[in-house]
Amino acid sequence: MAFHNSSLSKKKISFRVKLNPFSFLTIPFLILLIFLVILPFFFVIFYSLSNIEDSTLIMTFDNFVKFLTDPSFWDKLWLSIYFAFMATLMCLIFGYPVAYFIARTRPKIRTIFVILITLPMWVNMLLRVIGLKSIMELVTSWFQNINPNFHIIGTDFAVIFGEVFVSIPFMIIPIYTQLLKLDPTLLEASKDLGNNSFKTFFKVTLPISMPGVISGITMVFLPAATSIVIPKYMGGGLPRYTLIGNLIENYFVKQSNYNQGAAMALIMTVVILAIIFVVKLFDRSEVKIQKTKKQSAKVQKGVVTNEK
Amino acid sequence: MENIVKGVPLIELKNVTKVFDETTVLYDINLQIFENEFVTLLGPSGCGKTTTLRIIGGFEQPTSGQVLFNGVDVTTLPPNKRATNTVFQNYALFPHLNVEGNIAFGLKNQIGEKEKPVGKFSFKKWWAYFSVKFTNLFKKKNKRKVVPDYPKNERLFYRIGYFFSKKGKLYSKEQIQEKVAEVIKLVNLSGLEKRSITQLSGGQKQRVAIARAIVNKPKVLLLDESLSALDLKLRKEMQYELKELQRNIGITFIFVTHDQEEALTMSDKIVVMKEGEIEQIGSAEDIYNDPIDSYVSNFIGDSNLFKGKTIDKKHVLLYDKVLGCDETDIEPETEVDLLLRPEDIDIVSVEKGKLVGRVDALFFKGVFYEVDVVLENDNRLITIHTTDYIEVGKRIGISFEDEDIHVMEHNE
């Protein structure tokens, strides 16, 4: 026994991580990540915290203070989030049933539907938005014969409709893939245990499809909150529809005021992060599994150390 | 006879026929199941046994015919309104819930009369309860005050709720917890209450599925090939546990399987099915010893089948030899199938044998040897189970008791 222990202690334990030999394939992307994502992010932070006064660089919080004390900025922020929220909600309300019924149909029809849903994505987004705008203008011209005050472009409806039109596939597809995994016998089991179809949906189908819903919300909400093109075209140039995305664009492109643009972008990032964090809280299933995985990992570790 | 003794059957299928896409899966099924029975539907895959179970459970509607529970027609009743619970073949456990959540799932849905509210609402009592409960929210665990007792049926919201609907959840949270804990103990899952479903082994999943069904105290428990996914040892264990469970909690089990051994060990009543029809209904002994035809005898246990002819009630003709047989009601001079079980055959000397043959092969099966013997009469192979070693190639006589020859009607 003693001999055995001493021989073990002599052995050097290496902590080197075993690398997959093909992991070098990720290097190009890693370089991209470092130079085009991580470094620029630090630049953004640097810009937002600095200012040029009398051609000298000074470090300051002024950029943030300026926005955070400006009520019109808060209005814009609130409006951006409101539009993004409404667009996400509409995508969920109209997208979920579509995802549900596609997942229930025969495989052949399923593929056709999935292609049809993703089909608009094959066309450039800008073109789609301009196309939508001209359709709306056409419809407006018809209705203006009856009521000359009728407008679509330049209303909240138009902006939200544009967002929904562009991003509803991003809601449908994750929910659809999640529902595809749903075992139909689970629905039978739920009915067997006393739920009618309505209750079964809320107690089984919805909780199981929750990861899809969460990723759908993330994929719709994030671009919608910072979108530039849609409020620009659907807003009809009205000042109400110059949203956060457009403001940031203004600072960077038109005014070349990188410092304030960067500060605004950072504030938006923090707000979105907070919202996403709250949304993730609802995804209880994921949290549970992660916890239990950690626990089991601990148990395994314990076993290993005991053996030593 | 059975009807008169046991009264109204718990479940009755009357002339049930099921057609799927123009193929008839069930053809004119008539079946009676009584309280406290362990009934097994046995047959090869595709014989309609699962469909029968699904019709009883309400997942499938018969194309024609009736399903009666206690004499009441429930043919069109959905599964959530039937007094049955099902253990599915793939268990169908809810992946978003843990063991406890799965088991409590059905209990939460049970609806009953609400308790009547007591006395009048007292604001003082409510404040005493609420203030402590609210301030406790902001205190550390060890510094929390004891919440004063405030029964649910004295609360304001309960009164308002009761005013609108006299019916509500049958069990309170505490009652559900109690029942879940009880059933977890019963199926030996203690310690796994909070485990996620994905982290369970096959046997544990199976037990959760059973617990989830029996915790609701159904009149009938339907089990759809629930043991087929388990390995042999675990399956044997579960067979025993299931049978024990059925004795302890006293509910009717309807079990679907294609495993004849499983059926024989567990059932009070076996229903052998073939291509959507019921071949034979009887106890395990009945079906093994007196199979109605060659199909049943082949399906249950090993069998040696011969073509023969009846002479009278107690004698048959086999290979031009008149042999005694088990008593039969089949008319004399008809072509019949004769069944000889491998374990009923004795190996004797050539002179003493009723038939003579040569040992063709010998297989060691653990408890016994399986001996293949080629008969001299027509060179056909028969199987014998014996505990004695015998040389391959040896000429032997085989013998059997008169009642070991079972006479069955011959069918094409």
Side-chain angles (χ1 to χ4, degrees):
Chain A
M1 194 66 196
F3 170 72
H4 195 70
N5 273 341
S6 65
S7 74
L8 255 181
S9 62
K10 271 179 197 168
K11 234 183 203 173
K12 273 188 183 174
I13 300 159
S14 68
F15 288 99
R16 234 180 36 176
V17 184
K18 270 193 184 171
L19 276 176
N20 187 314
F22 289 102
S23 57
F24 71 87
L25 289 172
T26 59
I27 288 174
F29 179 72
L30 282 180
I31 292 170
L32 210 73
L33 197 69
I34 290 165
F35 283 97
L36 295 182
V37 179
I38 297 172
L39 270 182
F41 187 71
F42 282 110
F43 276 123
V44 169
I45 293 175
F46 174 74
Y47 270 120
S48 69
L49 287 172
S50 63
N51 219 341
I52 297 168
E53 269 176 36
D54 306 329
S55 67
T56 51
L57 188 84
I58 51 163
M59 301 305 287
T60 171
F61 281 108
D62 277 359
N63 299 321
F64 289 101
V65 173
K66 187 193 167 231
F67 289 125
L68 295 176
T69 53
D70 180 6
S72 71
F73 168 76
W74 284 103
D75 280 353
K76 288 288 173 216
L77 185 67
W78 162 245
L79 207 60
S80 301
I81 287 167
Y82 164 74
F83 283 139
F85 173 77
M86 287 308 281
T88 315
L89 191 69
M90 292 300 141
C91 280
L92 191 59
I93 289 172
F94 295 111
Y96 197 102
V98 176
Y100 185 88
F101 285 106
I102 296 172
R104 288 274 163 284
T105 50
R106 277 176 286 145
K108 256 191 188 170
I109 299 172
R110 226 186 268 160
T111 10
I112 293 171
F113 265 106
V114 171
I115 289 171
L116 281 179
I117 285 165
T118 48
L119 197 66
M121 287 200 245
W122 300 1
V123 182
N124 181 289
M125 203 255 268
L126 193 64
L127 285 180
R128 263 185 292 156
V129 174
I130 291 169
L132 182 66
K133 191 188 173 191
S134 39
I135 289 174
M136 281 182 168
E137 275 164 354
L138 190 68
V139 174
T140 309
S141 67
W142 292 342
F143 278 95
Q144 271 177 346
N145 294 332
I146 307 162
N147 180 1
N149 291 328
F150 185 83
H151 284 289
I152 298 178
I153 301 291
T155 59
D156 288 8
F157 168 79
V159 176
I160 295 168
F161 188 89
E163 300 279 13
V164 172
F165 168 68
V166 169
S167 47
I168 203 164
F170 296 105
M171 184 64 89
I172 295 175
I173 296 301
I175 297 175
Y176 157 79
T177 38
Q178 200 65 32
L179 284 174
L180 216 52
K181 287 188 228 159
L182 177 72
D183 181 358
T185 50
L186 288 181
L187 306 180
E188 282 184 351
S190 167
K191 280 184 189 168
D192 185 60
L193 293 165
N195 287 318
N196 53 26
S197 309
F198 186 72
K199 268 181 149 183
T200 296
F201 175 77
F202 284 101
K203 284 192 155 184
V204 180
T205 315
L206 191 60
I208 288 178
S209 63
M210 212 51 193
V213 173
I214 299 282
S215 63
I217 287 175
T218 325
M219 283 164 79
V220 172
F221 186 83
L222 283 189
T226 54
S227 75
I228 297 169
V229 173
I230 293 161
K232 204 181 206 171
Y233 285 92
M234 294 289 136
L238 293 179
R240 178 180 163 83
Y241 302 108
T242 325
L243 298 180
I244 289 288
N246 309 91
L247 283 181
I248 296 173
E249 189 204 11
N250 269 348
Y251 277 115
F252 276 102
V253 180
K254 288 189 186 148
Q255 301 179 17
S256 298
N257 188 341
Y258 282 23
N259 308 84
Q260 292 190 0
M264 191 181 264
L266 268 185
I267 294 170
M268 196 63 197
T269 312
V270 170
V271 169
I272 288 173
L273 269 181
I275 291 167
I276 294 299
F277 179 74
V278 171
V279 170
K280 286 270 182 199
L281 284 185
F282 285 95
D283 193 5
R284 279 168 38 233
S285 60
E286 208 171 273
V287 176
K288 252 186 215 163
I289 289 167
Q290 276 175 353
K291 256 189 189 172
T292 43
K293 260 184 193 167
K294 260 184 199 169
Q295 280 167 359
S296 63
K298 267 182 196 169
V299 170
Q300 277 180 356
K301 254 188 191 172
V303 170
V304 172
T305 45
N306 281 344
E307 275 176 1
K308 275 178 187 171
Chain B
M1 268 302 280
E2 223 174 25
N3 247 342
I4 300 157
V5 177
K6 290 186 174 176
V8 183
L10 183 62
I11 298 175
E12 191 170 8
L13 300 185
K14 268 188 186 168
N15 309 97
V16 167
T17 301
K18 177 77 191 173
V19 183
F20 275 126
D21 300 331
E22 291 172 19
T23 48
T24 310
V25 196
L26 290 180
Y27 184 74
D28 202 19
I29 296 284
N30 285 294
L31 181 62
Q32 291 184 331
I33 292 161
F34 295 89
E35 222 156 289
N36 241 331
E37 267 186 327
F38 198 120
V39 179
T40 302
L41 304 179
L42 179 67
S45 53
C47 72
K49 54 194 193 305
T50 297
T51 311
T52 312
L53 196 80
R54 289 172 63 82
I55 284 173
I56 295 172
F59 305 111
E60 223 68 78
Q61 299 277 315
T63 313
S64 68
Q66 272 186 316
V67 184
L68 306 176
F69 276 29
N70 273 328
V72 183
D73 188 352
V74 295
T75 315
T76 53
L77 219 57
N80 48 330
K81 291 187 178 154
R82 293 195 185 195
T84 57
N85 279 123
T86 312
V87 179
F88 291 88
Q89 188 169 12
N90 61 354
Y91 314 136
L93 300 175
F94 303 116
H96 59 295
L97 299 172
N98 60 9
V99 172
E100 244 178 6
N102 265 283
I103 296 173
F105 194 88
L107 286 177
K108 285 181 185 165
N109 295 326
Q110 294 208 6
I111 285 171
E113 293 275 318
K114 275 188 197 168
E115 265 180 83
K116 266 193 177 172
V118 183
K120 281 191 170 176
F121 176 71
S122 118
F123 182 77
K124 241 183 182 177
K125 221 173 170 184
W126 173 79
W127 181 249
Y129 165 83
F130 178 76
S131 57
V132 175
K133 189 122 198 190
F134 186 73
T135 45
N136 270 354
L137 282 179
F138 305 101
K139 286 178 179 168
K140 278 182 184 169
K141 254 186 188 173
N142 44 6
K143 284 187 179 173
R144 282 178 194 163
K145 278 187 193 166
V146 181
V147 182
D149 185 43
Y150 188 43
K152 200 178 170 188
N153 52 5
E154 283 182 31
R155 292 176 193 176
L156 183 62
F157 280 107
Y158 187 81
R159 280 159 206 282
I160 297 169
Y162 187 80
F163 178 77
F164 284 110
S165 157
K166 304 269 185 292
K167 279 192 173 177
K169 280 182 181 169
L170 185 60
Y171 301 116
S172 69
K173 255 186 190 172
E174 293 78 30
Q175 281 172 315
I176 288 176
Q177 260 174 0
E178 210 174 282
K179 278 172 186 286
V180 168
E182 218 171 272
V183 80
I184 280 181
K185 220 173 169 188
L186 187 72
V187 295
N188 280 329
L189 280 173
S190 308
L192 301 177
E193 289 91 345
K194 304 278 181 227
R195 199 60 86 77
S196 130
I197 289 303
T198 45
Q199 290 180 310
L200 297 180
S201 72
Q204 286 165 342
K205 275 186 192 167
Q206 151 109 63
R207 276 183 270 183
V208 174
I210 291 169
R212 184 178 74 177
I214 61 174
V215 76
N216 303 300
K217 298 256 150 62
K219 288 233 171 75
V220 185
L221 187 66
L222 309 174
L223 298 115
D224 185 4
E225 302 212 25
S226 305
L227 304 182
S228 57
L230 306 180
D231 62 74
L232 187 69
K233 205 179 164 210
L234 199 59
R235 200 187 317 159
K236 289 255 155 101
E237 226 167 79
M238 285 308 299
Q239 284 173 9
Y240 178 77
E241 275 180 42
L242 271 184
K243 188 72 198 163
E244 197 76 338
L245 209 64
Q246 192 243 348
R247 276 195 211 112
N248 290 343
I249 56 181
I251 51 180
T252 307
F253 277 46
I254 304 178
F255 190 83
V256 158
T257 184
H258 58 255
D259 184 338
Q260 44 102 358
E261 205 189 314
E262 210 164 85
L264 290 176
T265 41
M266 293 166 84
S267 328
D268 300 323
K269 189 195 232 174
I270 297 177
V271 180
V272 184
M273 295 184 71
K274 177 195 179 185
E275 289 162 13
E277 283 178 272
I278 292 178
E279 282 290 297
Q280 191 174 6
I281 304 177
S283 70
E285 287 96 339
D286 282 348
I287 296 221
Y288 189 83
N289 292 334
D290 291 312
I292 201 162
D293 57 17
S294 57
Y295 173 81
V296 178
S297 74
N298 264 330
F299 202 77
I300 308 245
D302 294 322
S303 52
N304 297 305
L305 289 171
F306 302 94
K307 268 184 195 157
K309 217 180 214 181
T310 47
I311 292 171
D312 56 37
K313 278 196 170 183
K314 292 216 139 192
H315 291 89
V316 287
L317 194 69
L318 172 63
Y319 296 133
D320 307 325
K321 262 189 187 175
V322 178
L323 296 170
C325 71
D326 203 24
E327 209 175 313
T328 174
D329 296 332
I330 298 171
E331 296 209 351
E333 295 294 321
T334 40
E335 296 262 320
V336 286
D337 281 334
L338 303 175
L339 165 69
L340 252 179
R341 294 285 182 194
E343 66 275 11
D344 290 339
I345 302 174
D346 301 318
I347 294 174
V348 292
S349 60
V350 178
E351 304 83 55
K352 281 185 186 170
K354 292 182 180 171
L355 296 168
V356 179
R358 193 176 45 76
V359 178
D360 188 56
L362 185 82
F363 305 100
F364 181 58
K365 292 273 178 177
V367 186
F368 57 86
Y369 290 102
E370 189 179 299
V371 189
D372 284 351
V373 174
V374 178
L375 289 185
E376 280 183 356
N377 305 58
D378 60 351
N379 278 339
R380 63 159 292 186
L381 211 65
I382 64 163
T383 310
I384 303 172
H385 291 171
T386 172
T387 48
D388 301 322
Y389 177 78
I390 221 152
E391 262 174 70
V392 176
K394 194 177 173 189
R395 201 160 164 263
I396 55 164
I398 63 170
S399 175
F400 33 81
E401 304 288 318
D402 286 352
E403 64 265 24
D404 289 337
I405 292 195
H406 306 289
V407 185
M408 304 178 299
E409 264 174 61
H410 179 71
N411 59 353
E412 303 309 312

